[in-house]
Amino acid sequence: MAGKLMHALQYSGYGGGAAALKHVEVPVPDPKADEVLVKVDAATINPVDWKIQKGMLRPILPRKFPYIPGTDLAGEVVKTGSSVKKFKEGDKVVSILSHATGGALAEYAVAKESLTVTRPPEVSAPEAAALPVAALTAHQALTQAADVKLDGTGDKKNILVTAASGGVGHYAVQMAKLGNTHVTATCGARNLEFVKSLGADEVLDYRTPEGATLKSPSGKKYDYVIHCATGIPWCTFEPNLSENGKVIDLTPGPSALVTFALKKLTFSKKQLVPLILIPKAENLEYVINLVKEKKIKAVIESKFPLSKAEDAWAKMMEGHATGKAAATMARKLMHAFQYTSYGGGAAALKHVQVPVPDPKADEVLVKVEAASINPFDWRIQTGYIPFLPRKFPCIPGTDLAGEVAGAGSSVKKFKEGDKIVAMLSHATGGALAEYSVVKESFTVARPPEVSGPEAAGIPLAALTAYQALTQAANVKFDRTSDKQNILITAASGGVGHYAVQMARLANAHVTATCGARNLEFVKSLGADEVIDYKSPEGAALKSPSGKKYDYVIRCATGIPWSIFEPNLSEDGKVIDLTPGPSAWVTYALKKLTFSRKQLVPSILFPKAEDLEYVAFMMNLVKENNMKTVIDSKFPLSKAEDAWAKLMEGHATGKVIIEP
């Protein structure tokens, strides 16, 4: 990572609020011996973060300026220090950083191994990032200060939780209910039902007369108050406490410290206990498991990309968030490749940084390992189909393989970490980027025996070949169909090289055309006869053995019907995979004249059920019955070169881009 820059949010002095936060590019930090470097998937901010900026703990915090705020994050380990034993590259983790150094609101952060724990796949990155400070504070207040047993074995206690709809409060209510307690809670009117849903037995609107006095509607006295709010004087708490009642103040100011001292000095049975969080990895692991086991939930009020983190900061300062005020996707911006209008070819494609997309309920977020481009992609850019893409700017590409990095609420088949192959819509595109969202229904599991580049080559090209052979040409892979004579043009290209291999598996006699340099290559795929398309025989498409073709899988352009017709059998058909205007005219004429020789335009409009065929073809690759031939690989930073190569029309097999 040496020398690499990352995006981050920082401030350079006390005060100024959200307006003082600046987006910067800074070097990716290097982990010390006992640290891990984490690529941040999600981070949250807490009230203490903006209070530090305000100068509440000056001059102790932060340790120095400029300062990247934030302590709570979830992400993936990308590097480990020399003494780190528990983690390795690729591990999904949750960490809590020191307020002295901060660092969470960035693309990368370093965290102590001792304050980092593994994130289970059942807990999403935003859920996990919402836990460290808030959930640990609630846990420490209840289990240490209030002696609540979260296994329900302790004595019954009456507990009041103030600001119960907030970050710490909503965890405190849920954990208290695990511990055999009667919970009274305060919140604003709009959150009464929400706090009841968390398990509170009684909920008070803090703005009503009853709420302002903190009196339990059932008349109970509180053994403990988990005080998450500010501005409530001791005189309001005292009459509502039981004989040995305690107020555990999670945001202690000067007056709280004075009250604490006075109560100690006067040996009062009723006490105020200031609480400062002392984070421990075992406690963080414990609360994460509570979420995993669905005993508590992390409520995410809102999410912001890192590019809008100042809005999350402002929202937190308002003080009315329900649950965690913001789960900032600190992966924030991703590298992508896009164009903004029709035309211009490779030169019109621009490298950009755009927000990582958020998956909808039925979508998965995929970290792209490999994407392939198809001729249809650059034809869309030329304006070949006026209604595609749906809007500009467009990130092109439909075929990708990668790893699930997040899932929508209704997704059932996939979880984080699953290896998949997916097909996007040409209307939206999105494959030529570091991350992409795809419908669950257009995603299939990828066997470990099939690499990312091999899998990424399959969706559009192999599916087009498969449909042309099985649906238009009625070929059966179980070899139960009659022996067919099939011609495949442009047989060394993306669709063509799959079509040759599949036709061979279906026991067809395959004649193929390609350029002179690819004759041996196409023979190696299983073609029975191969013709150089530039030779007189190749130009005439005549089978060297004199066979007439039952079907032609036409992957090339520029060959007129008059060349095909004399080479077709009595009922021969040309399946045109790149139909232009003349093809549609020929199709109509042959239909109108009831000709037995037909031209069949074929355009792939994939349906969700077609993905089972993609899975079938991946198994062919897995079992070495078919292969994805890769012409060349390009990094995403050189995607325009891949685009130009594809437009030349002479690629052998597939052109692959790897982010």
Side-chain angles (χ1 to χ4, degrees):
M1 306 298 292
K4 183 175 179 180
L5 296 179
M6 67 177 184
H7 292 271
L9 192 77
Q10 70 177 28
Y11 56 86
S12 300
Y14 292 118
L21 296 163
K22 303 298 179 188
H23 293 275
V24 295
E25 281 195 327
V26 296
V28 173
D30 215 27
K32 296 176 182 175
D34 61 344
E35 293 178 333
V36 291
L37 176 64
V38 179
K39 184 173 184 182
V40 181
D41 291 336
T44 56
I45 49 179
N46 299 286
V48 69
D49 294 318
W50 67 260
K51 288 173 181 171
I52 288 172
Q53 184 206 24
K54 189 177 178 181
M56 179 181 78
L57 295 171
R58 77 167 78 193
I60 302 169
L61 296 179
R63 186 175 294 162
K64 64 179 181 178
F65 293 111
Y67 176 74
I68 298 171
T71 59
D72 298 6
L73 64 86
E76 180 179 310
V77 174
V78 294
K79 188 176 180 181
T80 60
S82 58
S83 67
V84 170
K85 305 297 182 188
K86 290 195 302 179
F87 304 104
K88 64 183 184 305
E89 191 174 325
D91 285 349
K92 302 288 188 180
V93 297
V94 188
S95 299
I96 182 168
L97 312 181
S98 163
H99 280 110
T101 56
L105 296 192
E107 289 183 285
Y108 296 87
V110 287
K112 293 284 187 186
E113 178 185 27
S114 59
L115 289 175
T116 299
V117 300
T118 300
R119 172 167 65 88
E122 298 86 350
V123 181
S124 72
E127 287 176 319
L131 293 171
V133 165
L136 285 183
T137 298
H139 177 267
Q140 185 173 319
L142 287 163
T143 61
Q144 295 179 33
D147 197 31
V148 171
K149 311 288 186 197
L150 299 193
D151 61 3
T153 60
D155 295 335
K156 183 85 172 179
K157 295 181 174 67
N158 295 319
I159 289 180
L160 169 67
V161 179
T162 64
S165 61
V168 176
H170 88 288
Y171 289 127
V173 171
Q174 296 176 84
M175 290 187 207
K177 288 308 297 177
L178 296 175
N180 190 31
T181 63
H182 180 280
V183 177
T184 304
T186 70
C187 62
R190 71 184 179 94
N191 285 318
L192 294 174
E193 291 304 316
F194 165 67
V195 174
K196 284 180 186 174
S197 75
L198 298 176
D201 300 285
E202 304 172 325
V203 186
L204 299 170
D205 176 356
Y206 74 94
R207 289 182 173 171
T208 64
E210 299 79 9
T213 60
L214 301 180
K215 291 187 183 299
S216 163
S218 59
K220 296 185 186 312
K221 297 292 185 179
Y222 308 123
D223 300 306
Y224 294 95
V225 176
I226 309 300
H227 184 29
C228 309
T230 57
I232 304 176
W234 172 258
C235 62
T236 302
F237 288 118
E238 192 165 30
N240 295 297
L241 295 175
S242 63
E243 187 179 2
N244 294 294
K246 291 180 174 59
V247 175
I248 299 145
D249 195 336
L250 309 186
T251 57
S255 64
L257 296 175
V258 169
T259 302
F260 164 71
L262 285 173
K263 294 298 169 185
K264 283 290 185 185
L265 289 169
T266 58
F267 302 100
S268 171
K269 288 185 171 183
K270 297 181 180 182
Q271 295 281 327
L272 185 143
V273 181
L275 185 137
I276 304 296
L277 175 65
I278 302 172
K280 294 180 180 178
E282 59 264 33
N283 294 339
L284 180 56
E285 194 166 31
Y286 178 81
V287 297
I288 289 172
N289 279 326
L290 290 181
V291 176
K292 173 186 172 182
E293 294 163 5
K294 301 189 184 307
K295 293 180 178 178
I296 67 170
K297 59 184 176 181
V299 176
I300 310 294
E301 203 229 34
S302 48
K303 295 181 183 180
F304 297 81
L306 187 59
S307 57
K308 298 289 185 184
E310 61 272 26
D311 295 341
W313 197 267
K315 188 172 188 69
M316 177 60 75
M317 290 184 72
E318 290 170 4
H320 300 296
T322 301
K324 292 299 289 182
T328 301
M329 294 304 293
R331 205 184 265 132
K332 176 231 171 192
L333 296 178
M334 66 178 182
H335 293 276
F337 195 57
Q338 71 179 26
Y339 56 87
T340 56
S341 63
Y342 292 123
L349 293 157
K350 303 298 180 188
H351 293 277
V352 295
Q353 288 189 312
V354 295
V356 172
D358 242 355
K360 296 177 182 174
D362 61 344
E363 292 178 333
V364 291
L365 174 68
V366 180
K367 183 179 182 181
V368 180
E369 294 174 10
S372 70
I373 49 177
N374 300 285
F376 200 59
D377 295 319
W378 68 257
R379 289 194 179 106
I380 288 173
Q381 188 205 18
T382 67
Y384 172 70
I385 298 180
F387 55 82
L388 295 178
R390 186 178 295 159
K391 64 179 181 178
F392 294 109
C394 172
I395 298 172
T398 59
D399 298 4
L400 63 85
E403 180 178 304
V404 174
S409 57
S410 67
V411 170
K412 305 297 183 188
K413 292 194 299 181
F414 302 103
K415 64 182 185 305
E416 280 191 47
D418 286 349
K419 298 290 188 180
I420 57 88
V421 62
M423 190 173 188
L424 311 178
S425 164
H426 277 110
T428 56
L432 298 194
E434 290 182 285
Y435 294 86
S436 188
V437 288
V438 62
K439 295 281 187 187
E440 178 185 27
S441 57
F442 280 85
T443 304
V444 294
R446 169 163 60 94
E449 298 86 349
V450 181
S451 71
E454 287 176 317
I458 288 174
L460 185 68
L463 192 55
T464 297
Y466 182 88
Q467 287 196 355
L469 287 163
T470 60
Q471 297 179 25
N474 199 31
V475 164
K476 297 190 181 346
F477 283 100
D478 61 5
R479 301 193 173 208
T480 59
S481 55
D482 296 335
K483 182 90 170 179
Q484 309 277 13
N485 294 319
I486 293 178
L487 169 66
I488 298 170
T489 66
S492 61
V495 175
H497 90 286
Y498 287 124
V500 170
Q501 296 177 83
M502 290 186 212
R504 173 183 55 82
L505 290 173
N507 199 32
H509 180 279
V510 179
T511 303
T513 71
C514 62
R517 69 185 177 91
N518 286 318
L519 293 174
E520 291 304 317
F521 164 66
V522 174
K523 282 181 186 175
S524 75
L525 297 176
D528 300 284
E529 303 172 326
V530 187
I531 315 168
D532 176 0
Y533 75 95
K534 289 185 176 178
S535 68
E537 298 78 11
L541 298 180
K542 291 189 180 299
S543 164
S545 60
K547 293 183 178 356
K548 297 292 186 180
Y549 308 123
D550 300 306
Y551 294 97
V552 177
I553 309 300
R554 183 188 177 190
C555 308
T557 58
I559 306 174
W561 171 258
S562 59
I563 301 294
F564 290 116
E565 191 165 30
N567 294 296
L568 295 175
S569 63
E570 191 175 358
D571 293 294
K573 291 180 174 59
V574 176
I575 299 148
D576 194 340
L577 306 185
T578 57
S582 64
W584 291 101
V585 170
T586 302
Y587 164 72
L589 285 172
K590 294 299 170 185
K591 282 290 185 184
L592 289 170
T593 58
F594 301 100
S595 171
R596 295 176 73 174
K597 297 181 180 182
Q598 295 281 327
L599 185 142
V600 181
S602 177
I603 298 177
L604 177 66
F605 290 103
K607 302 179 287 294
E609 54 265 32
D610 292 333
L611 268 289
E612 68 183 77
Y613 305 129
V614 172
F616 167 75
M617 287 180 283
M618 275 198 293
N619 278 325
L620 291 180
V621 174
K622 171 186 171 182
E623 295 163 4
N624 296 316
N625 289 321
M626 188 175 81
K627 60 184 175 182
T628 295
V629 175
I630 297 172
D631 173 280
S632 47
K633 294 180 183 178
F634 295 82
L636 186 61
S637 59
K638 297 290 184 183
E640 65 271 26
D641 295 341
W643 199 265
K645 185 173 187 68
L646 194 67
M647 291 185 73
E648 290 170 5
H650 299 296
T652 301
K654 296 294 295 178
V655 176
I656 300 294
I657 295 171
E658 295 177 306

